[in-house]
Amino acid sequence: QVQLQESGPGLVKPSETLSLTCTVSGDSINRYYWSWIRQPPGKGLEWIGYVHYSGTTNHNPSLKSRVSISVDTSKSQISLKLTSVTAADTAVYYCARLKGLRPLGNNYYHALDVWGQGTTVTVSS
Amino acid sequence: DIVMTQSPLSLPVTPGEPASISCRSSQSLLHSSGHIFLDWYLQKPGQSPQLLIYMGSNRASGVPDRFSGSGSGTDFTLKISRVEADDVGVYYCMQTLQTRTFGQGTKVEIK
């Protein structure tokens, strides 16, 4: 059974870089897309982006050039970096597996079928 | 961006009774393949979200058949045929046609 575990500093200073890692166990990282989603305190969910094991990425344009998502297949880890953070980046950060669930032509329809427990990041001086 | 709007934002329910949540998108979620690009997730209290429905009407693995998704174009509905106490939490719709965006969430609680 696949499990995802997020980890990283719980406190980051304004203007610095938030760095998180998601460790995948119980399945190969080399088969799926992997995503990051966040949830500010008391608020809803926000899509951050995804990475494929091949290195292909896609991210939310609202985060502009601040976000970087990468994969380390040798460690079965997905990383998230968010630069120039502000208090608005305070949130619970989730990683999730994007699994192909239904064939669509030469591709698949992907959905977030497994989520990590999330890690809380506070941006404060 | 495609804006997703859910209603109601709060839904008191009675166990054994049906419940319905609406989700509207600012653009049609009909993909060129003919399929609807919309998912539903449930976030139970203190837990991470879990996938309920994908492609508008397909139940995810292990999801009870009392949950169903329907809709077309810009109007979508999640229905629970008979609510159980374990169904409480916040339900989110999410469009997957473009950069993924979530609805605000609908909090379901027992009356």
Side-chain angles (χ1 to χ4, degrees):
Chain A
Q1 180 178 347
V2 61
Q3 291 188 321
L4 310 180
Q5 180 66 59
E6 304 90 344
S7 60
L11 181 63
V12 181
K13 290 182 168 57
S15 81
E16 295 190 344
T17 296
L18 178 160
S19 295
L20 297 176
T21 298
C22 173
T23 301
V24 178
S25 60
D27 200 352
S28 173
I29 200 171
N30 293 341
R31 295 175 59 188
Y32 306 102
Y33 289 82
W34 304 91
S35 310
W36 287 97
I37 302 99
R38 69 181 182 179
Q39 185 171 35
K43 295 187 178 181
L45 300 164
E46 181 182 24
W47 171 267
I48 298 174
Y50 68 69
V51 63
H52 189 245
Y53 73 89
S54 64
T56 299
T57 62
N58 182 275
H59 64 266
N60 192 331
S62 70
L63 296 171
K64 298 183 181 177
S65 58
R66 296 198 299 131
V67 64
S68 172
I69 301 175
S70 61
V71 60
D72 186 335
T73 56
S74 66
K75 296 181 179 179
S76 289
Q77 290 180 337
I78 303 102
S79 296
L80 170 69
K81 293 188 187 301
L82 186 63
T83 62
S84 305
V85 298
T86 69
D89 296 310
T90 294
V92 175
Y93 285 76
Y94 296 99
C95 65
R97 185 175 73 177
L98 254 182
K99 183 178 180 180
L101 297 179
R102 182 64 64 91
L104 282 179
N106 294 325
N107 208 327
Y108 277 83
Y109 183 90
H110 292 80
L112 301 162
D113 74 322
V114 178
W115 295 61
Q117 66 184 27
T119 187
T120 300
V121 178
T122 301
V123 178
S124 175
S125 56
Chain B
D1 288 7
I2 297 178
V3 178
M4 306 299 291
T5 304
Q6 292 182 227
S7 62
L9 298 184
S10 179
L11 182 60
V13 297
T14 300
E17 294 294 309
S20 179
I21 299 170
S22 173
C23 175
R24 288 188 172 179
S25 57
S26 60
Q27 303 176 35
S28 173
L29 299 185
L30 179 63
H31 185 259
S32 57
S33 63
H35 296 282
I36 291 296
F37 274 33
L38 177 90
D39 301 335
W40 288 94
Y41 294 86
L42 165 60
Q43 186 172 29
K44 295 182 178 181
Q47 296 186 19
S48 305
Q50 59 187 84
L51 178 66
L52 292 177
I53 301 287
Y54 64 94
M55 287 177 69
S57 60
N58 295 273
R59 275 188 302 276
S61 176
V63 174
D65 61 7
R66 65 177 182 276
F67 291 92
S68 64
S70 64
S72 62
T74 60
D75 291 333
F76 307 95
T77 302
L78 177 71
K79 293 182 179 178
I80 310 173
S81 60
R82 295 174 305 280
V83 173
E84 296 186 2
D86 189 50
D87 298 337
V88 299
V90 181
Y91 290 76
Y92 294 93
C93 59
M94 182 187 79
Q95 64 82 18
T96 62
L97 188 64
Q98 298 176 8
T99 299
R100 287 164 167 82
T101 48
F102 292 89
Q104 321 97 299
T106 295
K107 186 174 184 178
V108 172
E109 53 192 2
I110 300 295
K111 282 183 181 176

